[in-house]
């Protein structure tokens, strides 16, 4: 297993346990582990919760990921996708450790609200997302995919979309795999259909 696969196992174990909690609504991997990067830096998880009633259990499940990897963060969000804070890494929170010395750590226990953390949702969700589990009929995160600029997800297939050609007005299909190909290369979506692309390309050639 490469490092990415290893961290993914940790994330899936966490999701399997946490999804049974009453307060849990959705769990996703964000950042490099969700993408194809074989050497991700850390494991960042998002858990959307109804309330913080079970944060101590969520924190316990999070700490159990440390047997695979210590560099994890679990970010808690409410149903409206507002950040609530992240899980404190300590077994006892609030405690004497440096982690809990952040003002706001441990209120409630196991919640770490970092006053330095400036939340910019577009930055936060800039990297790929892999929704591991959702209680909603459609993922709360992926429902805001376009708005937040979420680029990729593994579990949820990227759906084919139809685009109207700016030259001939015909609609053409921009398939899921084409979208991934374009996204990986940072290209914007095509504006012209295959025929028109070919035609303008030919014209370009004949014009010299
Ligand atoms: Zn703490
Ligand atoms: Zn066309």
């Amino acid at each position: 297993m490469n490092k990415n696969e290893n961290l993914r196992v940790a994330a899936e174990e966490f999701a399997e346990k946490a999804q049974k909690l009453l307060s849990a609504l959705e769990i996703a991997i964000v950042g490099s582990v969700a993408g194809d990067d074989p050497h991700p830096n850390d494991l960042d998880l998002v858990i959307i919760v109804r309330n913080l009633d079970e944060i101590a259990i969520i924190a316990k499940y999070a700490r159990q990921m440390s047997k695979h990897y210590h560099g994890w963060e679990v970010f808690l969000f409410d149903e409206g996708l507002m950040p609530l804070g992240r899980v404190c890494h300590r077994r006892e929170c609030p405690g004497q450790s440096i982690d809990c010395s952040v003002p706001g750590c441990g209120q409630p226990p196991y919640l770490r609200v970092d006053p330095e953390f400036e939340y910019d949702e577009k930055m936060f969700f800039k990297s790929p997302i892999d929704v591991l589990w959702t209680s909603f009929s459609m993922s709360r995160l992926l429902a805001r995919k376009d708005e937040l600029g979420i680029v990729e997800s593994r579990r949820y297939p990227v759906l084919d979309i139809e685009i109207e050609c700016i030259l001939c007005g015909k609609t053409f299909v921009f398939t899921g795999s084409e979208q991934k190909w374009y996204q990986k290369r940072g290209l914007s979506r095509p504006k012209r259909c295959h025929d028109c692309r070919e035609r303008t390309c030919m014209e370009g050639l004949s014009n010299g």
Side-chain angles (χ1 to χ4, degrees):
M1 282 204 287
N2 67 28
K3 189 176 167 194
N4 191 316
E5 286 162 340
N6 206 23
L7 299 195
R8 189 163 279 275
V9 168
E12 282 170 5
E13 279 180 16
F14 171 82
E16 212 166 283
K17 289 178 273 188
Q19 68 184 250
K20 300 195 179 100
L21 298 174
L22 276 175
S23 59
L25 296 170
E26 182 162 320
I27 300 165
I29 307 176
V30 296
S32 49
V33 177
D36 295 322
D37 186 349
H39 305 290
N41 293 324
D42 45 18
L43 175 57
D44 289 335
L45 292 169
V46 160
I47 180 166
I48 302 176
V49 290
R50 209 186 298 278
N51 52 52
L52 291 169
D53 291 357
E54 293 166 308
I55 178 143
I57 308 171
I58 293 170
K60 186 177 88 183
Y61 294 160
R63 288 197 306 277
Q64 288 168 350
M65 291 194 289
S66 297
K67 77 168 190 245
H68 298 284
Y69 189 65
H70 281 93
W72 54 264
E73 291 294 346
V74 176
F75 296 88
L76 295 118
F77 283 78
D78 71 10
E79 290 177 69
L81 287 190
M82 288 309 293
L84 298 168
R86 53 184 143 162
V87 168
C88 176
H89 282 230
R90 311 312 304 182
R91 193 171 297 278
E92 258 175 58
C93 174
Q96 304 302 314
S97 85
I98 188 102
D99 280 356
C100 299
S101 66
V102 173
C105 196
Q107 300 161 335
Y110 299 103
L111 185 70
R112 182 182 160 104
V113 182
D114 193 337
E116 309 271 285
F117 179 60
E118 271 178 44
Y119 178 63
D120 174 339
E121 61 179 11
K122 288 217 169 103
M123 281 304 293
F124 188 88
F125 291 109
K126 203 177 76 171
S127 41
I129 284 192
D130 186 357
V131 177
L132 297 174
W133 170 78
T134 185
S135 64
F136 303 106
S137 56
M138 192 207 173
S139 155
R140 212 24 85 91
L141 287 168
L142 295 182
R144 296 185 62 202
K145 194 170 186 280
D146 291 343
E147 186 192 337
L148 295 175
I150 294 172
V151 290
E152 190 182 340
S153 62
R154 264 188 201 206
R155 292 304 169 86
Y156 284 70
V158 180
L159 300 176
D160 294 355
I161 54 172
E162 287 192 342
I163 298 176
E164 198 178 301
C165 173
I166 56 159
L167 289 182
C168 69
K170 273 192 298 196
T171 55
F172 63 94
V173 176
F174 187 33
T175 66
S177 57
E178 286 172 329
Q179 290 171 50
K180 284 184 189 162
W181 194 93
Y182 273 67
Q183 278 161 356
K184 253 194 202 132
R185 287 158 185 80
L187 302 169
S188 54
R189 56 169 68 176
K191 295 188 179 74
R192 296 166 298 170
C193 70
H194 296 281
D195 288 350
C196 289
R197 253 178 278 167
E198 218 150 72
R199 189 164 351 104
T200 47
C201 180
M202 294 303 284
E203 280 164 10
L205 284 177
S206 58
N207 291 343

